[in-house]
Amino acid sequence: MASGNGSNFEAIVQAVQSGRLGADIPLLVVNNKNCGAHQRADRFGIHVEVVDHRDFPNREALDRQLVGLFQSHRVDVVVMAGWMRIVTDVLVNAFPEQLVNIHPSLLPSFRGLDAVGQALHAGVSISGCTVHIVTADLDAGPILSQAAVPVLSSDNHASLAERVQKQEHILLPATLQQNAHRWRQG
Ligand code: GAR
């Protein structure tokens, strides 16, 4: 699942293609039709479903649509690779321990929106990214892995975000591979 640029989605695809991640990617779900993630999936020939949150009366209805899609594709694990919507119990309970998120901070610091901006504002000297299991509590589920990066006094939002993202692109595919035994149906 992705909402924006899709660089983490592409990192997963490249890990699969290079044999670092043993997985099949049956579909990408995007909520913004023209997002970069959609274009990247088209380039790789990966099936895309557009599920636009603006077409649903509430978050639960959106998540019901997602659950139906993922069940019809018989997925073992769902990855939120820059999915910028709050998910509900509907999705979490349909995929218990099978819903994974990447977040651009060292959780439990800086949950929620603009974690990079929050880190800069707080003046921390180390930040990073976290891969975690999604629960009903926002950005608070069990942590699978983290990577740290320095925050430099010269940093602005773009430079710190870029440093964090470089680590995300390594951490997310590696974490999926390390935890694959949790999800394979055999
Ligand atoms: C990533 O940095 C990811 O950690 C963040 O969105 C970015 C998506 O980039 N996710 C969140 O903030 C979730 N709360 P991408 O579209 O290039 O992968």
Side-chain angles (χ1 to χ4, degrees):
M1 301 159 72
S3 299
N5 181 21
S7 68
N8 279 285
F9 164 70
E10 177 156 348
I12 295 171
V13 174
Q14 286 185 345
V16 170
Q17 291 188 341
S18 69
R20 283 176 286 127
L21 174 57
D24 294 316
I25 306 174
L27 81 160
L28 170 72
V29 172
V30 299
N31 61 319
N32 296 312
K33 189 169 179 287
N34 297 317
C35 67
H38 192 162
Q39 290 162 20
R40 291 178 200 252
D42 287 346
R43 189 150 44 81
F44 287 111
I46 291 174
H47 176 66
V48 181
E49 294 277 353
V50 179
V51 183
D52 189 333
H53 57 280
R54 286 154 285 225
D55 294 338
F56 296 84
N58 52 48
R59 295 185 196 281
E60 286 77 10
L62 171 74
D63 283 359
R64 267 193 291 279
Q65 177 76 13
L66 295 174
V67 168
L69 265 177
F70 294 139
Q71 286 177 342
S72 72
H73 285 271
R74 304 175 65 83
V75 304
D76 298 323
V77 59
V78 177
V79 181
M80 292 165 52
W83 179 253
M84 301 307 282
R85 307 297 305 168
I86 290 175
V87 299
T88 69
D89 277 349
V90 171
L91 186 59
V92 172
N93 293 344
F95 292 94
E97 316 263 311
Q98 296 161 285
L99 189 56
V100 175
N101 183 43
I102 179 133
H103 184 78
S105 76
L106 292 177
L107 291 172
S109 293
F110 313 132
R111 295 173 181 159
L113 282 178
D114 191 19
V116 170
Q118 291 185 55
L120 277 175
H121 186 70
V124 295
S125 56
I126 296 173
S127 192
C129 49
T130 301
V131 179
H132 67 97
I133 298 282
V134 176
T135 62
D137 295 330
L138 181 66
D139 298 329
I143 290 171
L144 295 176
S145 63
Q146 295 186 302
V149 302
V151 182
L152 308 180
S153 56
S154 56
D155 267 333
N156 56 30
H157 196 284
S159 63
L160 179 56
E162 187 183 343
R163 195 174 305 118
V164 170
Q165 281 226 321
K166 271 197 183 130
Q167 293 305 312
E168 291 187 333
H169 299 160
I170 299 166
L171 189 70
L172 181 55
T175 304
L176 293 173
Q177 178 61 26
Q178 280 157 9
N179 288 273
H181 60 276
R182 292 170 178 256
W183 301 307
R184 282 204 182 98
Q185 287 172 358

